[in-house]
Amino acid sequence: MSGHFLDLEQPLLARVRSLVEGLLPCGVAVMSAADYTHAGTLPTPSVLVYYDGFQTPTQRGELVMLDQEWVTVIAVDHAANAGRGMGARDDAGPLISALLQGLFRWVPPCGSGRGGLKLGPPVGPSYSKGKAYFPLVWTWSFPFVSPHW
């Protein structure tokens, strides 16, 4: 790993922006967790990108493989679309497809990752206050070598 532990955030945000640009006529906001915290609300349609922790599935001596989990949450209007005869899935579907096709096996330009992003454990959609949320979990593995003390 070069740089810092959360180096993936900015390239991931840029990649998501490039993937969703022009997919919906009204545009798609792409937000980091910091953007979301500052705004206090998630606009629709949008994609929220945030870090969700890590695991250490492999440890050999000074080498540790870290599996970071990143989540992309697609947020779309649910109730508002019903009047136009469109469901939330009509807006979410193209966004989900774009992220699946564009992020699966994508190799980030940062760090010394071994391969690209992998799909993590599935999480079902949720619906609240007229909005629908479709999360996709991504795993990125990279080596961390402990310094000699």
Side-chain angles (χ1 to χ4, degrees):
M1 175 177 75
S2 64
H4 66 76
F5 187 75
L6 298 175
D7 266 351
L8 181 58
E9 182 177 41
Q10 291 307 311
L12 182 55
L13 285 164
R15 177 73 172 179
V16 169
R17 283 186 187 102
S18 72
L19 293 171
V20 301
E21 185 178 351
L23 282 181
L24 298 179
C26 58
V28 179
V30 177
M31 303 177 78
S32 69
D35 297 331
Y36 173 63
T37 301
H38 180 70
T41 186
L42 198 56
T44 53
S46 65
V47 180
L48 172 64
V49 177
Y50 67 91
Y51 169 73
D52 196 36
F54 72 97
Q55 297 180 20
T56 56
T58 306
Q59 296 186 43
R60 282 188 224 110
E62 298 168 354
L63 175 68
V64 177
M65 290 306 296
L66 298 176
D67 285 353
Q68 285 187 340
E69 284 195 354
W70 292 82
V71 181
T72 53
V73 179
I74 295 159
V76 294
D77 283 330
H78 179 53
N81 286 341
R84 297 193 322 242
M86 297 174 57
R89 288 175 180 83
D90 291 333
D91 285 342
L95 299 174
I96 294 168
S97 293
L99 293 184
L100 287 172
Q101 293 170 2
L103 293 179
F104 180 64
R105 298 182 64 186
W106 171 65
V107 178
C110 60
S112 55
R114 57 175 177 105
L117 294 184
K118 297 175 269 188
L119 275 170
V123 178
S126 63
Y127 304 88
S128 175
K129 298 180 183 175
K131 294 184 180 184
Y133 303 93
F134 298 87
L136 297 170
V137 178
W138 303 95
T139 302
W140 186 52
S141 301
F142 61 90
F144 173 79
V145 179
S146 174
H148 293 297
W149 299 105

